Amino acid sequence: MPTLTDEINRSISSVFRRAQIRRRLSATGLYESSWTDISIYIKSWGSLHAGVDDVRLNRFIHSGIRLVVRNDTGAFNPESNVASLWNGTLSRYRTLVRIQAGYTQDDGTELPTDTTQGIYILDGEIPISGVTNDVILNCKSLVSVFEEVRARDIPGLGTAQTATSLFTRIRDHTDGAANFIFREFITSTSWSIQTTTALLNLATTTSIEAMSVWDLMQSVAEVEGYVVFIDRTGSLIFKDRTSNTTTSQFAFLGQGFNPQNIISLDEHKQALDKYYNYFRLKFLEAETLTSYVTAGTTTTTNISNTSWLFGSRVYDFENQFFSTTVAAQTAVDGLLTTFGTVQDEAYFTAKFIPHVDIFDRVTFSYRSYDMINSELWDGFEWASDTAALPNDGGNWSRDGDNFDINSTTFNIISRETDLDNFTTKFTIRSI
C-alpha cells in the first residue's frame, strides 16, 4: 500500500479538503459532540499560517482563516432564521470550525491518519453580500480564547509556582460551577505540558493585572526559554525548542533530486534577522543597574569578535517573573546559546504537505544544477601532468554555483498552507 510520502511524490495525486462546524447548544451553552460538514457551501478556502520567531524570539503567531461560502439557501443566516444551520442553537458566534485536508489513496483511504489542518473559532462579523449572496466566515485562532480571559481570573497563582503548575491550572480553570473554560475548546488530553522545576515570581495583584491568559502563558514560556503554541490538530503545546522527534519526519527534495516535491526555493539565507550577540533582560521593576542581567559580547576590532563581524545586535526585553537573579541570568545565557550563532534558513513553496508541523525535524535537498547526464560548458579547467594531477586531469567547478544542499537537517519554524491551490510554504531553520 502506498505511503503518504508516495502519494505526495506521485505526478498525479488525489486530494481532499473539508470544513466542519460544532455549534453550541441553546439549552446548555456547551458544544455539540459531533461535527457538521459545510464543505459543499465553500467557494474560497484561503490559507492557514502558523510560525515562531516572526515577531519576537520564541513567540508564536497563528493566523485565522477566512472562508467564503454560498448562502443561496440561507444556511448561514442568523440563528433566528429557520433556514439557518444555527436555528435552534445558541449563536453563530464562537462556533468551532475544523479544517481537514489530505490525500486519498486508490481504495479511498485518507492520509495522514489525522487529517486536521487547524481548528478555529468563528468569532468575527459575519457579513452577507447583497450582490452575490456570499457570506464571509472570519475565523480566529484558538489563541483568541486565551486572549479574552484575564490572567487574574485564574485562581491559585502565587509566588511559589512552576510553569508546569501554572499551565495545569489554566487547563483546569472552571467558571466556579465545575464547568471548564478552556477545555471546551481544547480537551484535557490535547494539552502537552513539558515538566519544569524552577519557581516563578507571580504576584496576582501587580505583575499580571493587565495581562490576558495568553500574555501570561507567553511570558512564562519566555522565563523557561520554551515556546507555547497551538499545533495543526488544535492541541496546546508547551515545550522547549528541541525537535519534536529525533528522526526526520519528511525529506524535502528540490531541483537536482528526484522525486521533486519542492516547487520553488524562494529564499535561502544566513538568518541575521534572528541573530543577536548581546541580550539584556530587565527582570526587576526598579530602574537600577541590579535590575538587569546581560549575556553576550561587546565590540572589539578582532576577527573573532562577532560584534565586529556582524555588527552589534542587541535584544532587549523585560520579564518580571524570574524568582532570582540566577534564574534571569540562566535565561539570557540560554538565549545566547540559541540565537548567538548565525543559522541558515530557507523559505520555499512545496507540494501540499499535510502532516508536518512546527518544530518537526526534516531534511532538505536542493541544487542549483544537476550534473547527471548534463554537459556544463565553461565549467571545466585543464590541468598539466604533474604529480598532483597525473595524466592531465580536469576539475569541474566547485559544488554548488548557488546551492548544493544535500539531506541537511532543519527544524520547521513556520508553515502556510494554501487550501485553494494545495501548496504549502515553509520556513526551516538549521539545527
Side-chain angles (χ1 to χ4, degrees):
M1 179 67 66
T3 65
L4 175 58
T5 299
D6 294 331
E7 295 295 337
I8 293 170
N9 290 331
R10 288 174 63 173
S11 56
I12 299 176
S13 302
S14 297
V15 292
F16 70 92
R17 57 196 174 187
R18 277 193 298 269
Q20 301 165 316
I21 59 172
R22 279 177 63 190
R23 300 155 293 195
R24 290 179 295 166
L25 302 174
S26 58
T28 63
L30 303 180
Y31 285 99
E32 301 171 295
S33 59
S34 60
W35 295 91
T36 298
D37 197 296
I38 61 168
S39 305
I40 59 172
Y41 299 103
I42 295 183
K43 294 179 64 175
S44 174
W45 293 78
S47 297
L48 317 172
H49 176 252
V52 295
D53 303 332
D54 283 4
V55 178
R56 183 172 173 178
L57 300 184
N58 288 333
R59 291 295 175 94
F60 172 71
I61 60 170
H62 192 213
S63 74
I65 186 170
R66 182 179 182 271
L67 301 172
V68 180
V69 298
R70 298 178 180 86
N71 196 40
D72 300 331
T73 63
F76 296 89
N77 286 347
E79 56 276 6
S80 59
N81 188 292
V82 293
S84 173
L85 290 170
W86 284 265
N87 186 245
T89 67
L90 186 62
S91 171
R92 293 176 300 169
Y93 297 100
R94 306 208 90 192
T95 294
L96 288 180
V97 178
R98 181 171 70 177
I99 304 298
Q100 294 180 311
Y103 288 83
T104 305
Q105 295 183 308
D106 294 339
D107 64 355
T109 302
E110 294 180 352
L111 295 173
T113 303
D114 189 335
T115 61
T116 303
Q117 298 301 300
I119 296 179
Y120 302 88
I121 185 167
L122 178 55
D123 211 12
E125 292 183 347
I126 307 175
I128 301 176
S129 170
V131 177
T132 63
N133 207 27
D134 292 341
V135 173
I136 297 175
L137 302 182
N138 293 303
C139 307
K140 293 182 180 179
S141 164
L142 285 179
V143 166
S144 65
V145 304
F146 299 103
E147 293 174 330
E148 295 168 0
V149 177
R150 296 180 302 176
R152 61 174 294 181
D153 293 341
I154 307 296
L157 302 184
T159 55
Q161 187 97 199
T162 65
T164 302
S165 173
L166 182 141
F167 273 84
T168 301
R169 288 183 185 278
I170 293 172
R171 181 195 65 192
D172 298 336
H173 176 49
T174 70
D175 61 2
N179 298 309
F180 292 109
I181 301 296
F182 302 117
R183 281 163 55 172
E184 270 296 293
F185 305 95
I186 303 173
T187 60
S188 60
T189 57
S190 296
W191 293 64
S192 177
I193 304 171
Q194 189 166 323
T195 301
T196 64
T197 57
L199 296 179
L200 305 173
N201 180 25
L202 272 67
T204 57
T205 59
T206 55
S207 60
I208 67 173
E209 177 63 32
M211 282 187 164
S212 70
V213 171
W214 183 248
D215 292 333
L216 175 62
M217 293 163 78
Q218 291 199 109
S219 294
V220 168
E222 189 172 58
V223 170
E224 296 289 345
Y226 285 15
V227 289
V228 54
F229 61 97
I230 308 290
D231 73 4
R232 68 177 179 85
T233 66
S235 297
L236 185 134
I237 313 295
F238 171 66
K239 68 180 292 292
D240 58 31
R241 290 182 64 97
T242 59
S243 302
N244 295 329
T245 61
T246 57
T247 58
S248 173
Q249 299 302 292
F250 190 72
F252 287 102
L253 303 176
Q255 184 171 286
F257 294 87
N258 285 309
Q260 184 173 328
N261 49 49
I262 295 175
I263 297 171
S264 65
L265 176 54
D266 304 307
E267 184 176 83
H268 181 271
K269 66 178 182 179
Q270 292 180 311
L272 291 179
D273 61 326
K274 298 184 184 71
Y275 164 72
Y276 297 91
N277 45 38
Y278 195 82
F279 291 85
R280 183 167 52 217
L281 163 64
K282 186 175 187 292
F283 72 102
L284 296 176
E285 185 175 2
E287 190 59 55
T288 65
L289 287 176
T290 56
S291 297
Y292 292 81
V293 291
T294 62
T297 182
T298 56
T299 302
T300 60
T301 310
N302 188 306
I303 60 173
S304 62
N305 180 267
T306 57
S307 294
W308 183 249
L309 182 61
F310 298 109
S312 179
R313 297 178 176 271
V314 180
Y315 188 82
D316 277 302
F317 66 112
E318 182 174 351
N319 189 317
Q320 296 179 24
F321 291 161
F322 293 93
S323 58
T324 65
T325 304
V326 172
Q329 187 64 56
T330 299
V332 293
D333 291 343
L335 285 170
L336 184 63
T337 299
T338 303
F339 298 101
T341 56
V342 179
Q343 299 287 351
D344 288 344
E345 285 187 5
Y347 174 67
F348 60 93
T349 303
K351 289 183 176 182
F352 173 48
I353 312 294
H355 64 299
V356 295
D357 210 339
I358 306 298
F359 290 117
D360 274 350
R361 182 186 294 253
V362 297
T363 59
F364 182 81
S365 301
Y366 193 97
R367 288 197 178 107
S368 59
Y369 61 88
D370 188 353
M371 293 180 61
I372 300 173
N373 298 322
S374 299
E375 293 183 1
L376 301 180
W377 293 99
D378 298 325
F380 196 84
E381 294 180 357
W382 292 105
S384 60
D385 188 3
T386 64
L389 292 170
N391 303 319
D392 284 345
N395 291 329
W396 292 105
S397 58
R398 293 179 63 86
D399 284 348
D401 288 345
N402 288 314
F403 307 104
D404 190 8
I405 308 168
N406 191 351
S407 297
T408 303
T409 304
F410 289 81
N411 268 344
I412 290 179
I413 60 172
S414 79
R415 67 191 297 268
E416 180 178 356
T417 297
D418 182 340
L419 287 172
D420 289 311
N421 298 301
F422 277 101
T423 59
T424 311
K425 294 180 181 290
F426 291 97
T427 302
I428 56 177
R429 181 175 172 87
S430 59
I431 298 176

